[in-house]
C-alpha cells in the first residue's frame, strides 16, 4: 500500500506550488506485465501526474510504503541504495527491529569509503539500526553495464538467518501442488518413457514435452504466496498453460513419476544475487534433478 501525503513543486524563485495528489493520481494494475503474458492483479502501480513542471523546478515528495503481506511469512528484508545517478548530499536509513524479530543480517556492499556511518541503539520496542549517508558522488552509467542495484553502494538487511530457511519455506509451499498427480499424468509419463532406460534420456523426453506442450501463460491468483506458489500440477497439465513456476512444478512431478529425484528451484534471472544476506527476491523457477553421483 502506497500513500503520497506531500507533493509540491518548488520554483527557482522559492515559490511553492502544491499538487493535488488525489486529483492527479490513479492506481492501476501494472500494464508492463502483459508483455510477458502474465496477469497479476496484485502487481499494482500508483501513477501521479505533475502539471506545470518545468526545467529548473525542484520536486519535493514524501511517500509512505506499507508492506501488508511479506513473501515469506514472519520475515522482512530490504535493499537500500546509497549511491545513485545523482549525488546524495544526505540520506538516513533507519530500521526499528522488534526484539521478537531482530535483524539477523546487515551488509554494506560496494562501499564508498567514508560516506556511511552505522549506529545502533536500544529502545523499549527493540533495536534501532541507523545508517547515515553523507556526500556520495554521483555514479555514471557505462554501456552494457550490469543493473545499477547490483554495482552501486547498497545496504542489504534481513530478518532471515540462512538461505536454507527460504528453501524450506518454498518446499512447504510447493510440495502440496506437486502431489496433485492424476492418472492422466501418470499415463503420459509411461507413454513418454516407454522403452527408455537411460535417466538422461528420460529427462530429455519429459522436458521436451513440458516445454513444447505447456504454453507460457499465467494468471496469478494464489492466496498463500502469489508469484511464487505454483498451481496444482493437475491444473497445469489439463489446461496446457502456466508460467515458469507452474511448468517447473509439472516437470518436477513428471520426473519423479519416472523415478528421478527432482526439485523445483527458485533462481534470479539477471545479475548474481548478493550471497551474504538471505532475501526471497527471485523472479524465475527451474528444475533440478539429483544425479546418482
Amino acid at each position: 500500500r502506497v500513500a503520497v501525503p506531500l507533493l509540491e513543486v518548488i520554483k527557482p524563485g522559492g515559490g511553492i506550488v502544491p499538487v493535488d495528489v488525489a486529483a492527479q493520481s490513479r492506481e492501476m494494475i501494472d500494464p508492463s506485465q502483459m508483455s510477458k503474458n502474465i496477469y497479476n492483479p496484485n502487481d499494482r502501480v500508483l501513477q501521479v501526474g505533475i502539471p506545470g513542471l518545468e526545467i529548473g523546478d525542484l520536486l519535493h515528495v514524501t511517500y509512505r510504503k506499507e508492506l501488508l503481506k511479506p513473501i515469506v511469512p514472519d520475515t522482512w528484508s530490504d535493499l537500500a541504495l546509497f549511491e545513485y545517478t545523482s549525488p546524495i548530499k544526505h540520506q538516513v536509513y533507519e530500521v526499528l527491529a522488534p526484539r521478537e524479530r531482530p535483524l539477523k543480517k546487515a551488509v554494506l556492499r560496494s562501499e564508498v569509503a567514508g560516506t556511511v556511518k552505522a549506529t545502533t541503539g536500544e529502545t523499549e520496542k527493540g533495536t534501532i539500526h541507523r545508517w547515515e549517508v553523507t556526500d556520495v558522488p554521483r555514479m555514471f552509467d557505462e554501456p552494457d553495464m550490469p543493473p545499477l542495484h547490483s554495482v552501486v553502494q547498497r545496504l542489504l538487511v534481513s530478518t532471515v538467518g540462512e538461505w536454507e530457511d527460504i528453501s524450506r519455506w518454498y518446499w512447504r509451499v510447493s510440495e502440496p501442488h506437486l502431489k496433485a498427480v492424476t492418472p492422466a499424468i501418470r499415463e503420459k509419463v509411461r507413454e513418454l518413457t516407454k522403452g527408455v532406460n537411460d535417466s538422461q534420456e528420460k529427462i530429455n523426453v519429459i522436458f521436451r514435452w513440458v516445454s513444447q506442450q505447456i504454453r507460457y501463460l499465467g494468471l496469478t491468483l494464489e492466496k498463500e504466496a502469489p508469484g511464487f506458489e505454483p498451481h496444482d500440477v493437475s491444473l497445469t497439465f489439463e489446461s496446457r498453460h502456466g508460467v515458469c513456476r507452474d511448468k517447473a512444478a509439472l516437470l518436477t512431478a513428471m520426473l519423479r513419476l519416472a523415478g528421478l529425484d527432482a526439485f523445483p528451484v527458485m533462481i534470479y534471472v539477471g545479475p548474481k544475487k548478493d550471497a551474504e544476506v538471505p532475501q526471497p527476491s527471485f523472479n524465475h523457477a527451474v528444475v533440478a534433478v539429483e544425479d546418482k553421483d
Side-chain angles (χ1 to χ4, degrees), residues 72 77 105 156 158 160-171 266-268 272-282:
V72 180
S77 60
K105 294 289 177 66
L156 297 99
S158 180
V160 182
E162 305 295 337
W163 284 106
E164 287 80 2
D165 296 333
I166 297 175
S167 179
R168 293 187 190 99
W169 163 79
Y170 194 55
W171 175 269
M266 294 186 296
I267 67 170
Y268 187 83
K272 289 184 177 180
K273 291 174 64 64
D274 292 304
E276 298 88 343
V277 180
Q279 295 184 328
S281 49
F282 297 92

Side-chain angles (χ1 to χ4, degrees), residues 192-206 255 258 260 291-292:
L192 293 170
T193 59
K194 184 177 180 180
V196 178
N197 297 316
D198 180 69
S199 61
Q200 184 59 53
E201 185 56 28
K202 287 182 180 180
I203 294 172
N204 292 346
V205 296
I206 296 173
L255 290 170
L260 298 158
D291 210 342
K292 291 180 180 179

